């Protein structure tokens, strides 16, 4: 009557199928292990030095006593920097960078202009989704202050 599938055939097919899947998985895992050094960055020493620079910058910022607020007003981002006494810090050069939290694609630079009320404004129209804003404010004497904020647009 022709070919009949029996229990042994099913067992052989089942074992062969999963054997191939497991062999391919092991091959991919071995290839990944051989090609990945385990380092998250190429030069950990340089990253450590940069982190020390970041810590030193944070200490300088703390000594300044400045505080920043970052607000969204319709299609604008408004940054206000206040000194220890709560007075607006004028005469700053403020720049910013918008980056997506999950990717480096689509990074956007922002240029802030003084609004005359102690704030610095930048256009953020045409943004949607989540963005991380990193702001750098510099005064004419060389003092640098940095601030960050997560922005979510519908």
């Amino acid at each position: 009557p022709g070919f009949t599938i029996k229990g042994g055939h099913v067992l052989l097919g089942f074992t062969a199928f999963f054997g191939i899947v497991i062999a391919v998985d092991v091959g991919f895992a071995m290839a990944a292990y051989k090609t990945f050094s385990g380092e998250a960055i190429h030069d950990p020493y340089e990253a450590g030095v940069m982190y020390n620079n970041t810590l030193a910058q944070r200490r300088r910022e703390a000594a300044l006593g400045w505080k920043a607020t970052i607000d969204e007003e319709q299609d604008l981002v408004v940054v206000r920097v206040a000194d220890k006494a709560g007075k607006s810090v004028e005469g700053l050069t403020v720049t910013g960078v918008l980056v997506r939290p999950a990717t480096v694609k689509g990074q956007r630079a922002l240029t802030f202009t003084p609004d005359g009320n102690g704030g610095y404004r930048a256009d953020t129209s045409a943004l949607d989704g989540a963005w991380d804003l990193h702001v750098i404010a510099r005064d004419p004497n060389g003092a640098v202050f940095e601030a960050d904020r997560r922005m979510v647009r519908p």
Side-chain angles (χ1 to χ4, degrees):
F3 183 73
T4 308
I5 297 178
K6 299 189 179 192
H9 297 119
V10 173
L11 177 63
L12 181 64
F14 188 80
T15 304
F17 172 77
F18 281 104
I20 291 170
V21 169
I22 289 169
V24 169
D25 285 348
V26 166
F28 281 140
M30 288 174 55
Y33 183 74
K34 288 178 183 176
T35 59
F36 181 61
S37 66
E39 290 182 348
I41 53 175
H42 294 294
D43 194 347
Y45 174 77
E46 289 295 325
V49 170
M50 291 303 295
Y51 184 67
N52 289 339
N53 292 342
T54 299
L55 292 177
Q57 172 60 28
R58 296 298 176 257
R59 285 190 292 274
R60 288 189 296 272
E61 288 177 7
L64 284 173
W66 293 0
K67 302 283 185 220
T69 59
I70 302 173
D71 297 312
E72 295 180 65
E73 296 178 2
Q74 311 215 339
D75 287 340
L76 297 172
V77 171
V78 181
V79 176
R80 288 183 176 81
V81 180
D83 63 12
K84 291 179 184 177
K87 183 178 171 250
S88 292
V89 179
E90 301 287 338
L92 298 174
T93 301
V94 181
T95 58
V97 176
L98 286 166
V99 295
R100 293 281 191 182
T103 182
V104 294
K105 293 182 181 178
Q107 181 171 323
R108 297 182 185 188
L110 296 178
T111 301
F112 289 81
T113 56
D115 66 3
N117 297 321
Y120 300 86
R121 298 176 179 270
D123 180 31
T124 57
S125 58
L127 291 182
D128 63 339
W131 294 88
D132 288 336
L133 172 62
H134 180 73
V135 175
I136 301 173
R138 291 179 171 85
D139 78 355
N141 300 324
V144 177
F145 183 79
E146 299 180 23
D148 296 292
R149 175 153 186 241
R150 167 78 47 97
M151 298 172 30
V152 180
R153 295 280 175 92

